[in-house]
Amino acid sequence: MMRSGAWCLVSAATAALLLSGCKGKKSAPAPSETASAGISAQAESATETTTETSTEAGDVVVGGGRAEKTENDLYEFSYSYPDAAGAIPGLKANLDQQLDTSRADLVSSAREGQAEAKKNDFPYHTYSYGEDWKVVTSLPGWLSLSSESYVYSGGAHGMTAFDGLLWDRHAETARKPIDLFTSKEALSKALRTAFCAALDKERVKRRGGPIDKSDEMFSECIDPVEQVVILGSTNRQTFDRIGLLVPPYNAGPYAEGSYEVTVPVTGAVMAALKPQYRSSFSVAK
C-alpha cells in the first residue's frame, strides 16, 4: 500500500471462487512484516459498511467510494473501493461491474456447495469473498490502484489474492500495469535480479535462517511478472517504484503468508517500456 508521498504495497488478482479441499473452518495467515511495512494505500477508502442478514446486498456510498457487506447463512460478501476511484465515472462503472460479477459468482458457488453438502450429509461452511481496493498513488495522468481479496469455499482454509489496475486519465480507460511494457519477458528480465535478492532477504527473515536449498518448491526464485505488478511513486509526478504482490504458496508455504516486494525503476525498466509511456516514469533516486 502507499500513503501520500511514500511507497508501500497493497493488496490484487481476483481469486477463483472454487477452492477444493477438506472440510474445515476458514483461517488466514497472520499479516506479514512486509505487508505492514510495505506500500500502504492512501487513507481514501470508504470505511462504512452495512450488514444484511438476508441474501439481499446492502451498500453505502461515501464521497464517490463504495463499501458493501452482506452476511447470511449462505455466504459472506464484501467489496469496497475508495473515493478517488468512485469519482471517475468510467472507473466506477468498471469496479461496480466487477462487484456484481464477483457477488454473482459467489452466490452461485455457495448454492452449489450447500446443495452438495446436503446431498452428502456433511456440514456446510459459509462461503465468503471479500475484496478491498486502495489507492497506490495518484499522478497527473494516472490513478494506480491495488486490491487484496480473500476467498473461502469450504476447504481447510481460504486464500488471499491480489490485483492491480491503472486508470489512464488521458485515454479515460483502465489498463493493467504490465500493458505499459513491451513484453512480460522484457520486464521480467529488468526486474529479476533486484526482485530475487529482495525476496530471498525476506524469506531469510521469516524463516529465521538461511534458505534451505533442498526445498526445491520454496527455495528458488520465482518470475516477478507472474506475480501481481503494481506501480507506485515517491515524487507524485512519475512512477519510480514497482511493487510485486506475491500470494501464499508462490514463494513459501501457506503459513508464511503473502510476500510484497518493492523494486526501483531503473534504466533497464525504462528500456522495457513502450515508448508512449516512458514520460510517465523516471529512474528512482
Side-chain angles (χ1 to χ4, degrees), residues 77-109:
F77 177 81
S78 64
Y79 193 102
S80 66
Y81 55 78
D83 290 352
I88 301 172
L91 179 54
K92 178 178 175 62
N94 181 303
L95 294 173
D96 284 344
Q97 182 177 25
Q98 288 189 35
L99 184 157
D100 291 340
T101 298
S102 296
R103 181 169 53 202
D105 288 347
L106 173 63
V107 173
S108 176
S109 176

PDB file of all heavy atoms in Angstrom, residues 77-109:
ATOM      1  N   PHE A  77     -20.121 -11.599   1.881  1.00  0.00           N
ATOM      2  CA  PHE A  77     -19.560 -10.874   0.735  1.00  0.00           C
ATOM      3  C   PHE A  77     -19.228  -9.450   1.140  1.00  0.00           C
ATOM      4  O   PHE A  77     -20.014  -8.779   1.817  1.00  0.00           O
ATOM      5  CB  PHE A  77     -20.558 -10.849  -0.415  1.00  0.00           C
ATOM      6  CG  PHE A  77     -20.099 -10.057  -1.605  1.00  0.00           C
ATOM      7  CD1 PHE A  77     -19.219 -10.610  -2.525  1.00  0.00           C
ATOM      8  CD2 PHE A  77     -20.527  -8.744  -1.799  1.00  0.00           C
ATOM      9  CE1 PHE A  77     -18.786  -9.871  -3.620  1.00  0.00           C
ATOM     10  CE2 PHE A  77     -20.095  -7.995  -2.897  1.00  0.00           C
ATOM     11  CZ  PHE A  77     -19.227  -8.567  -3.812  1.00  0.00           C
ATOM     12  N   SER A  78     -18.059  -8.983   0.747  1.00  0.00           N
ATOM     13  CA  SER A  78     -17.702  -7.583   0.955  1.00  0.00           C
ATOM     14  C   SER A  78     -16.884  -7.097  -0.231  1.00  0.00           C
ATOM     15  O   SER A  78     -16.159  -7.870  -0.867  1.00  0.00           O
ATOM     16  CB  SER A  78     -16.911  -7.387   2.253  1.00  0.00           C
ATOM     17  OG  SER A  78     -15.675  -8.061   2.205  1.00  0.00           O
ATOM     18  N   TYR A  79     -17.044  -5.830  -0.539  1.00  0.00           N
ATOM     19  CA  TYR A  79     -16.324  -5.243  -1.676  1.00  0.00           C
ATOM     20  C   TYR A  79     -16.275  -3.739  -1.438  1.00  0.00           C
ATOM     21  O   TYR A  79     -17.278  -3.128  -1.065  1.00  0.00           O
ATOM     22  CB  TYR A  79     -17.070  -5.534  -2.976  1.00  0.00           C
ATOM     23  CG  TYR A  79     -16.292  -5.263  -4.241  1.00  0.00           C
ATOM     24  CD1 TYR A  79     -15.709  -6.302  -4.960  1.00  0.00           C
ATOM     25  CD2 TYR A  79     -16.149  -3.968  -4.734  1.00  0.00           C
ATOM     26  CE1 TYR A  79     -15.013  -6.068  -6.133  1.00  0.00           C
ATOM     27  CE2 TYR A  79     -15.448  -3.716  -5.898  1.00  0.00           C
ATOM     28  CZ  TYR A  79     -14.887  -4.769  -6.597  1.00  0.00           C
ATOM     29  OH  TYR A  79     -14.182  -4.535  -7.758  1.00  0.00           O
ATOM     30  N   SER A  80     -15.115  -3.140  -1.644  1.00  0.00           N
ATOM     31  CA  SER A  80     -15.005  -1.700  -1.439  1.00  0.00           C
ATOM     32  C   SER A  80     -13.979  -1.089  -2.375  1.00  0.00           C
ATOM     33  O   SER A  80     -13.045  -1.753  -2.825  1.00  0.00           O
ATOM     34  CB  SER A  80     -14.626  -1.387   0.013  1.00  0.00           C
ATOM     35  OG  SER A  80     -13.330  -1.862   0.313  1.00  0.00           O
ATOM     36  N   TYR A  81     -14.205   0.190  -2.671  1.00  0.00           N
ATOM     37  CA  TYR A  81     -13.210   0.966  -3.407  1.00  0.00           C
ATOM     38  C   TYR A  81     -13.261   2.405  -2.902  1.00  0.00           C
ATOM     39  O   TYR A  81     -14.272   2.864  -2.365  1.00  0.00           O
ATOM     40  CB  TYR A  81     -13.409   0.877  -4.921  1.00  0.00           C
ATOM     41  CG  TYR A  81     -14.772   1.264  -5.455  1.00  0.00           C
ATOM     42  CD1 TYR A  81     -15.160   2.604  -5.596  1.00  0.00           C
ATOM     43  CD2 TYR A  81     -15.684   0.283  -5.851  1.00  0.00           C
ATOM     44  CE1 TYR A  81     -16.390   2.953  -6.111  1.00  0.00           C
ATOM     45  CE2 TYR A  81     -16.922   0.618  -6.358  1.00  0.00           C
ATOM     46  CZ  TYR A  81     -17.272   1.960  -6.496  1.00  0.00           C
ATOM     47  OH  TYR A  81     -18.501   2.302  -6.997  1.00  0.00           O
ATOM     48  N   PRO A  82     -12.170   3.156  -3.059  1.00  0.00           N
ATOM     49  CA  PRO A  82     -12.063   4.479  -2.429  1.00  0.00           C
ATOM     50  C   PRO A  82     -12.731   5.594  -3.219  1.00  0.00           C
ATOM     51  O   PRO A  82     -13.097   5.438  -4.392  1.00  0.00           O
ATOM     52  CB  PRO A  82     -10.549   4.696  -2.363  1.00  0.00           C
ATOM     53  CG  PRO A  82     -10.027   3.948  -3.546  1.00  0.00           C
ATOM     54  CD  PRO A  82     -10.889   2.726  -3.646  1.00  0.00           C
ATOM     55  N   ASP A  83     -12.847   6.744  -2.578  1.00  0.00           N
ATOM     56  CA  ASP A  83     -13.445   7.922  -3.205  1.00  0.00           C
ATOM     57  C   ASP A  83     -12.750   8.287  -4.509  1.00  0.00           C
ATOM     58  O   ASP A  83     -13.398   8.684  -5.476  1.00  0.00           O
ATOM     59  CB  ASP A  83     -13.360   9.121  -2.254  1.00  0.00           C
ATOM     60  CG  ASP A  83     -14.268   8.975  -1.051  1.00  0.00           C
ATOM     61  OD1 ASP A  83     -15.074   8.025  -1.025  1.00  0.00           O
ATOM     62  OD2 ASP A  83     -14.156   9.812  -0.129  1.00  0.00           O
ATOM     63  N   ALA A  84     -11.428   8.194  -4.531  1.00  0.00           N
ATOM     64  CA  ALA A  84     -10.667   8.594  -5.714  1.00  0.00           C
ATOM     65  C   ALA A  84     -11.079   7.786  -6.936  1.00  0.00           C
ATOM     66  O   ALA A  84     -11.088   8.290  -8.057  1.00  0.00           O
ATOM     67  CB  ALA A  84      -9.168   8.422  -5.457  1.00  0.00           C
ATOM     68  N   ALA A  85     -11.422   6.527  -6.729  1.00  0.00           N
ATOM     69  CA  ALA A  85     -11.882   5.676  -7.836  1.00  0.00           C
ATOM     70  C   ALA A  85     -13.335   5.971  -8.170  1.00  0.00           C
ATOM     71  O   ALA A  85     -13.727   6.050  -9.344  1.00  0.00           O
ATOM     72  CB  ALA A  85     -11.706   4.211  -7.475  1.00  0.00           C
ATOM     73  N   GLY A  86     -14.166   6.146  -7.143  1.00  0.00           N
ATOM     74  CA  GLY A  86     -15.574   6.406  -7.369  1.00  0.00           C
ATOM     75  C   GLY A  86     -15.850   7.739  -8.029  1.00  0.00           C
ATOM     76  O   GLY A  86     -16.917   7.933  -8.625  1.00  0.00           O
ATOM     77  N   ALA A  87     -14.906   8.670  -7.949  1.00  0.00           N
ATOM     78  CA  ALA A  87     -15.087   9.991  -8.543  1.00  0.00           C
ATOM     79  C   ALA A  87     -14.890   9.982 -10.056  1.00  0.00           C
ATOM     80  O   ALA A  87     -15.173  10.978 -10.720  1.00  0.00           O
ATOM     81  CB  ALA A  87     -14.111  10.979  -7.903  1.00  0.00           C
ATOM     82  N   ILE A  88     -14.394   8.877 -10.612  1.00  0.00           N
ATOM     83  CA  ILE A  88     -14.155   8.755 -12.052  1.00  0.00           C
ATOM     84  C   ILE A  88     -15.243   7.848 -12.632  1.00  0.00           C
ATOM     85  O   ILE A  88     -15.254   6.644 -12.366  1.00  0.00           O
ATOM     86  CB  ILE A  88     -12.768   8.158 -12.322  1.00  0.00           C
ATOM     87  CG1 ILE A  88     -11.685   9.040 -11.693  1.00  0.00           C
ATOM     88  CG2 ILE A  88     -12.526   8.001 -13.822  1.00  0.00           C
ATOM     89  CD1 ILE A  88     -10.294   8.432 -11.730  1.00  0.00           C
ATOM     90  N   PRO A  89     -16.196   8.396 -13.376  1.00  0.00           N
ATOM     91  CA  PRO A  89     -17.341   7.599 -13.841  1.00  0.00           C
ATOM     92  C   PRO A  89     -16.962   6.286 -14.536  1.00  0.00           C
ATOM     93  O   PRO A  89     -17.540   5.235 -14.243  1.00  0.00           O
ATOM     94  CB  PRO A  89     -18.062   8.551 -14.795  1.00  0.00           C
ATOM     95  CG  PRO A  89     -17.728   9.916 -14.272  1.00  0.00           C
ATOM     96  CD  PRO A  89     -16.308   9.809 -13.797  1.00  0.00           C
ATOM     97  N   GLY A  90     -16.002   6.324 -15.435  1.00  0.00           N
ATOM     98  CA  GLY A  90     -15.622   5.114 -16.157  1.00  0.00           C
ATOM     99  C   GLY A  90     -15.016   4.059 -15.248  1.00  0.00           C
ATOM    100  O   GLY A  90     -15.296   2.862 -15.389  1.00  0.00           O
ATOM    101  N   LEU A  91     -14.190   4.492 -14.327  1.00  0.00           N
ATOM    102  CA  LEU A  91     -13.561   3.569 -13.390  1.00  0.00           C
ATOM    103  C   LEU A  91     -14.591   3.027 -12.411  1.00  0.00           C
ATOM    104  O   LEU A  91     -14.583   1.831 -12.076  1.00  0.00           O
ATOM    105  CB  LEU A  91     -12.429   4.271 -12.643  1.00  0.00           C
ATOM    106  CG  LEU A  91     -11.667   3.448 -11.602  1.00  0.00           C
ATOM    107  CD1 LEU A  91     -11.124   2.157 -12.187  1.00  0.00           C
ATOM    108  CD2 LEU A  91     -10.539   4.289 -10.995  1.00  0.00           C
ATOM    109  N   LYS A  92     -15.475   3.886 -11.943  1.00  0.00           N
ATOM    110  CA  LYS A  92     -16.538   3.452 -11.035  1.00  0.00           C
ATOM    111  C   LYS A  92     -17.392   2.373 -11.691  1.00  0.00           C
ATOM    112  O   LYS A  92     -17.716   1.351 -11.069  1.00  0.00           O
ATOM    113  CB  LYS A  92     -17.409   4.643 -10.643  1.00  0.00           C
ATOM    114  CG  LYS A  92     -18.582   4.287  -9.732  1.00  0.00           C
ATOM    115  CD  LYS A  92     -19.366   5.522  -9.345  1.00  0.00           C
ATOM    116  CE  LYS A  92     -20.607   5.171  -8.542  1.00  0.00           C
ATOM    117  NZ  LYS A  92     -20.275   4.505  -7.270  1.00  0.00           N
ATOM    118  N   ALA A  93     -17.742   2.569 -12.963  1.00  0.00           N
ATOM    119  CA  ALA A  93     -18.545   1.577 -13.679  1.00  0.00           C
ATOM    120  C   ALA A  93     -17.797   0.253 -13.796  1.00  0.00           C
ATOM    121  O   ALA A  93     -18.387  -0.825 -13.646  1.00  0.00           O
ATOM    122  CB  ALA A  93     -18.911   2.106 -15.063  1.00  0.00           C
ATOM    123  N   ASN A  94     -16.493   0.346 -14.042  1.00  0.00           N
ATOM    124  CA  ASN A  94     -15.655  -0.853 -14.142  1.00  0.00           C
ATOM    125  C   ASN A  94     -15.664  -1.636 -12.832  1.00  0.00           C
ATOM    126  O   ASN A  94     -15.868  -2.857 -12.821  1.00  0.00           O
ATOM    127  CB  ASN A  94     -14.230  -0.426 -14.523  1.00  0.00           C
ATOM    128  CG  ASN A  94     -13.261  -1.569 -14.684  1.00  0.00           C
ATOM    129  OD1 ASN A  94     -13.053  -2.368 -13.775  1.00  0.00           O
ATOM    130  ND2 ASN A  94     -12.612  -1.636 -15.841  1.00  0.00           N
ATOM    131  N   LEU A  95     -15.463  -0.938 -11.725  1.00  0.00           N
ATOM    132  CA  LEU A  95     -15.408  -1.602 -10.428  1.00  0.00           C
ATOM    133  C   LEU A  95     -16.781  -2.113  -9.988  1.00  0.00           C
ATOM    134  O   LEU A  95     -16.889  -3.175  -9.373  1.00  0.00           O
ATOM    135  CB  LEU A  95     -14.824  -0.650  -9.384  1.00  0.00           C
ATOM    136  CG  LEU A  95     -13.363  -0.267  -9.607  1.00  0.00           C
ATOM    137  CD1 LEU A  95     -12.925   0.814  -8.612  1.00  0.00           C
ATOM    138  CD2 LEU A  95     -12.444  -1.477  -9.510  1.00  0.00           C
ATOM    139  N   ASP A  96     -17.831  -1.362 -10.315  1.00  0.00           N
ATOM    140  CA  ASP A  96     -19.177  -1.823  -9.989  1.00  0.00           C
ATOM    141  C   ASP A  96     -19.510  -3.113 -10.737  1.00  0.00           C
ATOM    142  O   ASP A  96     -20.163  -4.010 -10.197  1.00  0.00           O
ATOM    143  CB  ASP A  96     -20.208  -0.749 -10.327  1.00  0.00           C
ATOM    144  CG  ASP A  96     -20.236   0.385  -9.309  1.00  0.00           C
ATOM    145  OD1 ASP A  96     -19.700   0.199  -8.201  1.00  0.00           O
ATOM    146  OD2 ASP A  96     -20.792   1.454  -9.626  1.00  0.00           O
ATOM    147  N   GLN A  97     -19.057  -3.192 -11.976  1.00  0.00           N
ATOM    148  CA  GLN A  97     -19.288  -4.417 -12.751  1.00  0.00           C
ATOM    149  C   GLN A  97     -18.537  -5.592 -12.129  1.00  0.00           C
ATOM    150  O   GLN A  97     -19.064  -6.703 -12.034  1.00  0.00           O
ATOM    151  CB  GLN A  97     -18.850  -4.220 -14.197  1.00  0.00           C
ATOM    152  CG  GLN A  97     -19.107  -5.440 -15.079  1.00  0.00           C
ATOM    153  CD  GLN A  97     -18.725  -5.204 -16.518  1.00  0.00           C
ATOM    154  OE1 GLN A  97     -17.878  -4.367 -16.839  1.00  0.00           O
ATOM    155  NE2 GLN A  97     -19.340  -5.937 -17.425  1.00  0.00           N
ATOM    156  N   GLN A  98     -17.293  -5.332 -11.687  1.00  0.00           N
ATOM    157  CA  GLN A  98     -16.531  -6.383 -11.013  1.00  0.00           C
ATOM    158  C   GLN A  98     -17.244  -6.826  -9.733  1.00  0.00           C
ATOM    159  O   GLN A  98     -17.287  -8.022  -9.412  1.00  0.00           O
ATOM    160  CB  GLN A  98     -15.125  -5.885 -10.680  1.00  0.00           C
ATOM    161  CG  GLN A  98     -14.205  -5.737 -11.875  1.00  0.00           C
ATOM    162  CD  GLN A  98     -12.780  -5.447 -11.447  1.00  0.00           C
ATOM    163  OE1 GLN A  98     -12.305  -5.946 -10.421  1.00  0.00           O
ATOM    164  NE2 GLN A  98     -12.073  -4.632 -12.219  1.00  0.00           N
ATOM    165  N   LEU A  99     -17.771  -5.866  -9.001  1.00  0.00           N
ATOM    166  CA  LEU A  99     -18.503  -6.181  -7.773  1.00  0.00           C
ATOM    167  C   LEU A  99     -19.682  -7.113  -8.083  1.00  0.00           C
ATOM    168  O   LEU A  99     -19.859  -8.148  -7.427  1.00  0.00           O
ATOM    169  CB  LEU A  99     -18.998  -4.887  -7.123  1.00  0.00           C
ATOM    170  CG  LEU A  99     -19.712  -4.973  -5.766  1.00  0.00           C
ATOM    171  CD1 LEU A  99     -19.615  -3.621  -5.056  1.00  0.00           C
ATOM    172  CD2 LEU A  99     -21.173  -5.361  -5.895  1.00  0.00           C
ATOM    173  N   ASP A 100     -20.480  -6.746  -9.074  1.00  0.00           N
ATOM    174  CA  ASP A 100     -21.657  -7.545  -9.416  1.00  0.00           C
ATOM    175  C   ASP A 100     -21.270  -8.953  -9.863  1.00  0.00           C
ATOM    176  O   ASP A 100     -21.916  -9.939  -9.481  1.00  0.00           O
ATOM    177  CB  ASP A 100     -22.455  -6.856 -10.520  1.00  0.00           C
ATOM    178  CG  ASP A 100     -23.123  -5.566 -10.052  1.00  0.00           C
ATOM    179  OD1 ASP A 100     -23.303  -5.398  -8.828  1.00  0.00           O
ATOM    180  OD2 ASP A 100     -23.454  -4.725 -10.911  1.00  0.00           O
ATOM    181  N   THR A 101     -20.217  -9.045 -10.669  1.00  0.00           N
ATOM    182  CA  THR A 101     -19.768 -10.349 -11.158  1.00  0.00           C
ATOM    183  C   THR A 101     -19.253 -11.212 -10.012  1.00  0.00           C
ATOM    184  O   THR A 101     -19.574 -12.402  -9.915  1.00  0.00           O
ATOM    185  CB  THR A 101     -18.668 -10.179 -12.214  1.00  0.00           C
ATOM    186  OG1 THR A 101     -19.201  -9.458 -13.329  1.00  0.00           O
ATOM    187  CG2 THR A 101     -18.153 -11.532 -12.698  1.00  0.00           C
ATOM    188  N   SER A 102     -18.454 -10.614  -9.130  1.00  0.00           N
ATOM    189  CA  SER A 102     -17.886 -11.359  -8.001  1.00  0.00           C
ATOM    190  C   SER A 102     -18.989 -11.863  -7.078  1.00  0.00           C
ATOM    191  O   SER A 102     -18.942 -13.001  -6.601  1.00  0.00           O
ATOM    192  CB  SER A 102     -16.915 -10.480  -7.216  1.00  0.00           C
ATOM    193  OG  SER A 102     -15.810 -10.112  -8.014  1.00  0.00           O
ATOM    194  N   ARG A 103     -19.985 -11.023  -6.823  1.00  0.00           N
ATOM    195  CA  ARG A 103     -21.080 -11.432  -5.953  1.00  0.00           C
ATOM    196  C   ARG A 103     -21.913 -12.549  -6.594  1.00  0.00           C
ATOM    197  O   ARG A 103     -22.269 -13.532  -5.935  1.00  0.00           O
ATOM    198  CB  ARG A 103     -21.976 -10.243  -5.612  1.00  0.00           C
ATOM    199  CG  ARG A 103     -23.133 -10.601  -4.695  1.00  0.00           C
ATOM    200  CD  ARG A 103     -23.834  -9.358  -4.179  1.00  0.00           C
ATOM    201  NE  ARG A 103     -24.228  -8.484  -5.259  1.00  0.00           N
ATOM    202  CZ  ARG A 103     -24.461  -7.184  -5.117  1.00  0.00           C
ATOM    203  NH1 ARG A 103     -24.307  -6.610  -3.937  1.00  0.00           N
ATOM    204  NH2 ARG A 103     -24.826  -6.453  -6.146  1.00  0.00           N
ATOM    205  N   ALA A 104     -22.202 -12.413  -7.875  1.00  0.00           N
ATOM    206  CA  ALA A 104     -22.983 -13.436  -8.567  1.00  0.00           C
ATOM    207  C   ALA A 104     -22.247 -14.770  -8.582  1.00  0.00           C
ATOM    208  O   ALA A 104     -22.847 -15.833  -8.373  1.00  0.00           O
ATOM    209  CB  ALA A 104     -23.289 -12.982  -9.998  1.00  0.00           C
ATOM    210  N   ASP A 105     -20.934 -14.729  -8.816  1.00  0.00           N
ATOM    211  CA  ASP A 105     -20.137 -15.959  -8.811  1.00  0.00           C
ATOM    212  C   ASP A 105     -20.139 -16.609  -7.433  1.00  0.00           C
ATOM    213  O   ASP A 105     -20.223 -17.833  -7.308  1.00  0.00           O
ATOM    214  CB  ASP A 105     -18.703 -15.661  -9.243  1.00  0.00           C
ATOM    215  CG  ASP A 105     -18.577 -15.354 -10.726  1.00  0.00           C
ATOM    216  OD1 ASP A 105     -19.547 -15.611 -11.474  1.00  0.00           O
ATOM    217  OD2 ASP A 105     -17.513 -14.863 -11.139  1.00  0.00           O
ATOM    218  N   LEU A 106     -20.029 -15.776  -6.399  1.00  0.00           N
ATOM    219  CA  LEU A 106     -20.032 -16.300  -5.030  1.00  0.00           C
ATOM    220  C   LEU A 106     -21.370 -16.968  -4.698  1.00  0.00           C
ATOM    221  O   LEU A 106     -21.400 -18.080  -4.159  1.00  0.00           O
ATOM    222  CB  LEU A 106     -19.751 -15.172  -4.036  1.00  0.00           C
ATOM    223  CG  LEU A 106     -19.894 -15.543  -2.549  1.00  0.00           C
ATOM    224  CD1 LEU A 106     -18.885 -16.608  -2.151  1.00  0.00           C
ATOM    225  CD2 LEU A 106     -19.751 -14.304  -1.678  1.00  0.00           C
ATOM    226  N   VAL A 107     -22.461 -16.299  -5.019  1.00  0.00           N
ATOM    227  CA  VAL A 107     -23.781 -16.848  -4.710  1.00  0.00           C
ATOM    228  C   VAL A 107     -23.992 -18.176  -5.436  1.00  0.00           C
ATOM    229  O   VAL A 107     -24.459 -19.159  -4.846  1.00  0.00           O
ATOM    230  CB  VAL A 107     -24.893 -15.844  -5.092  1.00  0.00           C
ATOM    231  CG1 VAL A 107     -26.266 -16.489  -4.938  1.00  0.00           C
ATOM    232  CG2 VAL A 107     -24.798 -14.591  -4.229  1.00  0.00           C
ATOM    233  N   SER A 108     -23.621 -18.211  -6.712  1.00  0.00           N
ATOM    234  CA  SER A 108     -23.768 -19.449  -7.485  1.00  0.00           C
ATOM    235  C   SER A 108     -22.939 -20.575  -6.893  1.00  0.00           C
ATOM    236  O   SER A 108     -23.409 -21.702  -6.710  1.00  0.00           O
ATOM    237  CB  SER A 108     -23.360 -19.199  -8.937  1.00  0.00           C
ATOM    238  OG  SER A 108     -23.397 -20.387  -9.689  1.00  0.00           O
ATOM    239  N   SER A 109     -21.678 -20.266  -6.573  1.00  0.00           N
ATOM    240  CA  SER A 109     -20.779 -21.261  -5.998  1.00  0.00           C
ATOM    241  C   SER A 109     -21.271 -21.731  -4.639  1.00  0.00           C
ATOM    242  O   SER A 109     -21.235 -22.925  -4.321  1.00  0.00           O
ATOM    243  CB  SER A 109     -19.373 -20.660  -5.878  1.00  0.00           C
ATOM    244  OG  SER A 109     -18.488 -21.544  -5.250  1.00  0.00           O
TER     245      SER A 109
END
